[in-house]
Amino acid sequence: MAESNCTQVTEFSLTGFTEDPVTQVILFLIFLLTYLVTVLGNLGMIVLIRASPQLHSPMYYFLGNLAFVDLCSSTVITPKMLVDFISEKKGIAYAGCVAQVFIFDLFGLTECFLLATMAYDRYVAICHPLVYRLVMSPECCFQLVIGSYLVGLANGMGQTIGMSSLSFCGSTVIDLFFCDISPLIALSTADTTLSHIILRTSASLFGVSSILVVLVSYTAIISTILSISSTEGKRKAFSTCSSHLTTVSIFYGTSLFMYLKPSSDSSREGDKWAVMLYTMVTPLLNPFIYSLRNKQVKEAL
């Protein structure tokens, strides 16, 4: 009966990071600079890869798509957050919240699979160099990238369907700086079984599988590198995957910390900063990691 008397939610409130005006101005300037550098860095990486013939290889094809995904995932969150810093009312319409959940989950899982694909690419290049061009053909690379986007699309649609089954008769305050499916499930007064099933299935089936691909690939890569007799050969082999390994460590490390740690009211403030790492800091760092640690990119620049 309570659910039947529940009025349709038209807006959610976001708590953001702080209520202190001075701190809000400081954070606004920091995150504005972060977003501008993120946009310029990832756009620059995309243009550089397309314009430089020496970067027309599978590894950089995947990297160009990773830069595009980072650009989109950052754009769906940061501009709204910047507006909230200078607004008295930190609200987001229900439709805008649904859009954030869909797009963020789409590109979030797409990035997971792109990172897994890049790990597989490094595995073939180091462990089976003689068949690399045959295995990582342009058709195969295209299919791997399209597959990553399709898996992300399926995840975004699934989480959106799960959100559509939720009703909010109590609080509509989201203790975060953007709409994420986890705090929305916690706010719902309806039966959240479907949403939990979709969330856990997506995390188990898609997230864990992409992590396993990365782990298995790098286990084989490290084993192959250790079997190389010369120090120079080991250095060259490791340099081809060091940038990707750095990106994987940052992205998966912060994501696993956020979604696999036990929930606690006392850690909510820390959760926000952990979420910020993989939603804003990772897209910022990726172009610099690949440009500063990669000889071919520096030569192209």
Side-chain angles (χ1 to χ4, degrees):
M1 181 67 67
E3 292 299 329
S4 62
N5 295 330
C6 184
T7 57
Q8 177 64 36
V9 173
T10 58
E11 189 177 52
F12 292 98
S13 297
L14 302 170
T15 60
F17 286 95
T18 179
E19 295 294 331
D20 181 63
V22 176
T23 307
Q24 285 187 347
V25 172
I26 294 173
L27 290 177
F28 171 81
L29 295 174
I30 292 173
F31 289 135
L32 176 61
L33 179 62
T34 298
Y35 179 63
L36 292 176
V37 175
T38 299
V39 171
L40 292 174
N42 284 287
L43 279 178
M45 185 64 71
I46 293 171
V47 172
L48 181 67
I49 290 171
R50 293 184 63 88
S52 302
Q54 68 197 83
L55 301 182
H56 290 177
S57 65
M59 182 174 123
Y60 297 105
Y61 175 65
F62 297 136
L63 178 57
N65 281 277
L66 181 67
F68 172 74
V69 168
D70 281 339
L71 184 62
C72 293
S73 61
S74 180
T75 299
V76 76
I77 294 174
T78 311
K80 169 60 181 169
M81 185 187 66
L82 292 173
V83 171
D84 287 342
F85 275 127
I86 57 177
S87 302
E88 291 186 8
K89 186 178 180 182
K90 299 177 177 61
I92 182 170
Y94 180 84
C97 193
V98 173
Q100 272 198 339
V101 169
F102 172 73
I103 299 174
F104 177 73
D105 287 324
L106 187 163
F107 287 112
L109 198 59
T110 299
E111 180 154 356
C112 283
F113 271 76
L114 281 176
L115 290 173
T117 300
M118 293 171 74
Y120 175 71
D121 171 73
R122 293 299 84 204
Y123 159 74
V124 178
I126 294 174
C127 300
H128 305 283
L130 297 180
V131 296
Y132 177 73
R133 292 186 178 275
L134 178 63
V135 174
M136 302 305 294
S137 64
E139 294 79 11
C140 178
C141 293
F142 177 77
Q143 291 170 1
L144 288 171
V145 168
I146 291 298
S148 298
Y149 283 109
L150 289 177
V151 172
L153 179 62
N155 182 57
M157 292 178 64
Q159 303 302 346
T160 305
I161 292 171
M163 182 178 172
S164 66
S165 68
L166 303 177
S167 59
F168 306 91
C169 299
S171 173
T172 56
V173 178
I174 301 174
D175 192 16
L176 204 60
F177 52 90
F178 73 103
C179 283
D180 193 16
I181 189 63
S182 296
L184 286 168
I185 292 175
L187 282 179
S188 177
T189 54
D191 182 8
T192 59
T193 302
L194 175 62
S195 298
H196 276 298
I197 290 174
I198 293 174
L199 184 61
R200 290 168 182 169
T201 301
S202 175
S204 302
L205 183 63
F206 298 139
V208 174
S209 62
S210 65
I211 293 174
L212 285 176
V213 170
V214 173
L215 291 177
V216 171
S217 296
Y218 273 103
T219 299
I221 288 171
I222 293 172
S223 176
T224 301
I225 291 176
L226 292 177
S227 66
I228 299 175
S229 57
S230 67
T231 304
E232 182 64 18
K234 290 181 179 179
R235 187 192 65 79
K236 287 183 178 180
F238 184 74
S239 67
T240 63
C241 57
S242 59
S243 299
H244 177 254
L245 190 57
T246 304
T247 300
V248 165
S249 301
I250 295 172
F251 182 82
Y252 281 118
T254 53
S255 301
L256 290 175
F257 169 80
M258 179 60 196
Y259 289 108
L260 295 185
K261 74 176 188 63
S263 59
S264 170
D265 290 341
S266 62
S267 64
R268 286 178 181 174
E269 197 64 32
D271 290 350
K272 295 179 184 180
W273 294 102
V275 173
M276 183 201 68
L277 284 176
Y278 72 84
T279 57
M280 285 180 284
V281 176
T282 301
L284 168 71
L285 293 179
N286 281 349
F288 296 99
I289 291 172
Y290 279 96
S291 60
L292 296 177
R293 296 176 64 102
N294 193 293
K295 183 179 179 180
Q296 286 180 292
V297 173
K298 287 190 286 186
E299 289 175 352
L301 285 170

PDB file of all heavy atoms in Angstrom, residues 34-47:
ATOM      1  N   THR A  34      41.541  20.132 -13.981  1.00  0.00           N
ATOM      2  CA  THR A  34      41.659  18.693 -14.245  1.00  0.00           C
ATOM      3  C   THR A  34      40.869  18.299 -15.485  1.00  0.00           C
ATOM      4  O   THR A  34      41.363  17.561 -16.348  1.00  0.00           O
ATOM      5  CB  THR A  34      41.140  17.886 -13.036  1.00  0.00           C
ATOM      6  OG1 THR A  34      41.944  18.192 -11.895  1.00  0.00           O
ATOM      7  CG2 THR A  34      41.207  16.391 -13.312  1.00  0.00           C
ATOM      8  N   TYR A  35      39.642  18.814 -15.599  1.00  0.00           N
ATOM      9  CA  TYR A  35      38.797  18.458 -16.736  1.00  0.00           C
ATOM     10  C   TYR A  35      39.352  19.022 -18.047  1.00  0.00           C
ATOM     11  O   TYR A  35      39.370  18.324 -19.076  1.00  0.00           O
ATOM     12  CB  TYR A  35      37.376  18.974 -16.511  1.00  0.00           C
ATOM     13  CG  TYR A  35      36.435  18.664 -17.639  1.00  0.00           C
ATOM     14  CD1 TYR A  35      36.127  17.339 -17.973  1.00  0.00           C
ATOM     15  CD2 TYR A  35      35.847  19.685 -18.398  1.00  0.00           C
ATOM     16  CE1 TYR A  35      35.270  17.047 -19.020  1.00  0.00           C
ATOM     17  CE2 TYR A  35      34.987  19.393 -19.434  1.00  0.00           C
ATOM     18  CZ  TYR A  35      34.701  18.079 -19.744  1.00  0.00           C
ATOM     19  OH  TYR A  35      33.855  17.791 -20.788  1.00  0.00           O
ATOM     20  N   LEU A  36      39.831  20.255 -18.026  1.00  0.00           N
ATOM     21  CA  LEU A  36      40.389  20.852 -19.238  1.00  0.00           C
ATOM     22  C   LEU A  36      41.617  20.083 -19.717  1.00  0.00           C
ATOM     23  O   LEU A  36      41.767  19.818 -20.918  1.00  0.00           O
ATOM     24  CB  LEU A  36      40.748  22.325 -18.983  1.00  0.00           C
ATOM     25  CG  LEU A  36      39.577  23.285 -18.754  1.00  0.00           C
ATOM     26  CD1 LEU A  36      40.081  24.679 -18.415  1.00  0.00           C
ATOM     27  CD2 LEU A  36      38.670  23.343 -19.984  1.00  0.00           C
ATOM     28  N   VAL A  37      42.483  19.711 -18.788  1.00  0.00           N
ATOM     29  CA  VAL A  37      43.664  18.934 -19.153  1.00  0.00           C
ATOM     30  C   VAL A  37      43.266  17.555 -19.660  1.00  0.00           C
ATOM     31  O   VAL A  37      43.863  17.025 -20.615  1.00  0.00           O
ATOM     32  CB  VAL A  37      44.631  18.823 -17.953  1.00  0.00           C
ATOM     33  CG1 VAL A  37      45.809  17.914 -18.291  1.00  0.00           C
ATOM     34  CG2 VAL A  37      45.142  20.199 -17.542  1.00  0.00           C
ATOM     35  N   THR A  38      42.234  16.962 -19.044  1.00  0.00           N
ATOM     36  CA  THR A  38      41.738  15.655 -19.488  1.00  0.00           C
ATOM     37  C   THR A  38      41.234  15.719 -20.922  1.00  0.00           C
ATOM     38  O   THR A  38      41.558  14.852 -21.752  1.00  0.00           O
ATOM     39  CB  THR A  38      40.601  15.174 -18.566  1.00  0.00           C
ATOM     40  OG1 THR A  38      41.101  15.029 -17.237  1.00  0.00           O
ATOM     41  CG2 THR A  38      40.050  13.834 -19.038  1.00  0.00           C
ATOM     42  N   VAL A  39      40.437  16.734 -21.225  1.00  0.00           N
ATOM     43  CA  VAL A  39      39.896  16.890 -22.577  1.00  0.00           C
ATOM     44  C   VAL A  39      41.014  17.110 -23.585  1.00  0.00           C
ATOM     45  O   VAL A  39      41.081  16.447 -24.632  1.00  0.00           O
ATOM     46  CB  VAL A  39      38.889  18.064 -22.626  1.00  0.00           C
ATOM     47  CG1 VAL A  39      38.492  18.370 -24.069  1.00  0.00           C
ATOM     48  CG2 VAL A  39      37.650  17.735 -21.800  1.00  0.00           C
ATOM     49  N   LEU A  40      41.916  18.032 -23.281  1.00  0.00           N
ATOM     50  CA  LEU A  40      43.012  18.328 -24.209  1.00  0.00           C
ATOM     51  C   LEU A  40      43.941  17.127 -24.373  1.00  0.00           C
ATOM     52  O   LEU A  40      44.380  16.818 -25.486  1.00  0.00           O
ATOM     53  CB  LEU A  40      43.803  19.535 -23.700  1.00  0.00           C
ATOM     54  CG  LEU A  40      43.067  20.882 -23.734  1.00  0.00           C
ATOM     55  CD1 LEU A  40      43.909  21.974 -23.074  1.00  0.00           C
ATOM     56  CD2 LEU A  40      42.723  21.276 -25.165  1.00  0.00           C
ATOM     57  N   GLY A  41      44.236  16.438 -23.269  1.00  0.00           N
ATOM     58  CA  GLY A  41      45.143  15.293 -23.334  1.00  0.00           C
ATOM     59  C   GLY A  41      44.582  14.149 -24.154  1.00  0.00           C
ATOM     60  O   GLY A  41      45.265  13.588 -25.013  1.00  0.00           O
ATOM     61  N   ASN A  42      43.312  13.799 -23.909  1.00  0.00           N
ATOM     62  CA  ASN A  42      42.720  12.684 -24.634  1.00  0.00           C
ATOM     63  C   ASN A  42      42.411  13.034 -26.091  1.00  0.00           C
ATOM     64  O   ASN A  42      42.606  12.192 -26.981  1.00  0.00           O
ATOM     65  CB  ASN A  42      41.448  12.216 -23.923  1.00  0.00           C
ATOM     66  CG  ASN A  42      41.742  11.413 -22.671  1.00  0.00           C
ATOM     67  OD1 ASN A  42      42.174  10.271 -22.730  1.00  0.00           O
ATOM     68  ND2 ASN A  42      41.527  12.016 -21.512  1.00  0.00           N
ATOM     69  N   LEU A  43      41.952  14.256 -26.345  1.00  0.00           N
ATOM     70  CA  LEU A  43      41.756  14.678 -27.740  1.00  0.00           C
ATOM     71  C   LEU A  43      43.089  14.711 -28.482  1.00  0.00           C
ATOM     72  O   LEU A  43      43.180  14.292 -29.642  1.00  0.00           O
ATOM     73  CB  LEU A  43      41.097  16.063 -27.786  1.00  0.00           C
ATOM     74  CG  LEU A  43      39.589  16.123 -27.602  1.00  0.00           C
ATOM     75  CD1 LEU A  43      39.114  17.573 -27.628  1.00  0.00           C
ATOM     76  CD2 LEU A  43      38.867  15.322 -28.685  1.00  0.00           C
ATOM     77  N   GLY A  44      44.121  15.210 -27.796  1.00  0.00           N
ATOM     78  CA  GLY A  44      45.447  15.244 -28.412  1.00  0.00           C
ATOM     79  C   GLY A  44      45.958  13.852 -28.735  1.00  0.00           C
ATOM     80  O   GLY A  44      46.550  13.633 -29.799  1.00  0.00           O
ATOM     81  N   MET A  45      45.701  12.893 -27.848  1.00  0.00           N
ATOM     82  CA  MET A  45      46.128  11.522 -28.093  1.00  0.00           C
ATOM     83  C   MET A  45      45.401  10.926 -29.294  1.00  0.00           C
ATOM     84  O   MET A  45      46.005  10.249 -30.142  1.00  0.00           O
ATOM     85  CB  MET A  45      45.880  10.674 -26.843  1.00  0.00           C
ATOM     86  CG  MET A  45      46.385   9.244 -26.934  1.00  0.00           C
ATOM     87  SD  MET A  45      48.187   9.141 -27.113  1.00  0.00           S
ATOM     88  CE  MET A  45      48.718   9.657 -25.480  1.00  0.00           C
ATOM     89  N   ILE A  46      44.096  11.191 -29.395  1.00  0.00           N
ATOM     90  CA  ILE A  46      43.306  10.669 -30.520  1.00  0.00           C
ATOM     91  C   ILE A  46      43.814  11.244 -31.842  1.00  0.00           C
ATOM     92  O   ILE A  46      44.022  10.524 -32.825  1.00  0.00           O
ATOM     93  CB  ILE A  46      41.811  11.003 -30.325  1.00  0.00           C
ATOM     94  CG1 ILE A  46      41.250  10.238 -29.117  1.00  0.00           C
ATOM     95  CG2 ILE A  46      41.012  10.654 -31.579  1.00  0.00           C
ATOM     96  CD1 ILE A  46      39.852  10.676 -28.715  1.00  0.00           C
ATOM     97  N   VAL A  47      44.037  12.567 -31.861  1.00  0.00           N
ATOM     98  CA  VAL A  47      44.516  13.229 -33.086  1.00  0.00           C
ATOM     99  C   VAL A  47      45.905  12.739 -33.456  1.00  0.00           C
ATOM    100  O   VAL A  47      46.204  12.477 -34.630  1.00  0.00           O
ATOM    101  CB  VAL A  47      44.515  14.762 -32.891  1.00  0.00           C
ATOM    102  CG1 VAL A  47      45.197  15.450 -34.072  1.00  0.00           C
ATOM    103  CG2 VAL A  47      43.093  15.280 -32.730  1.00  0.00           C
TER     104      VAL A  47
END
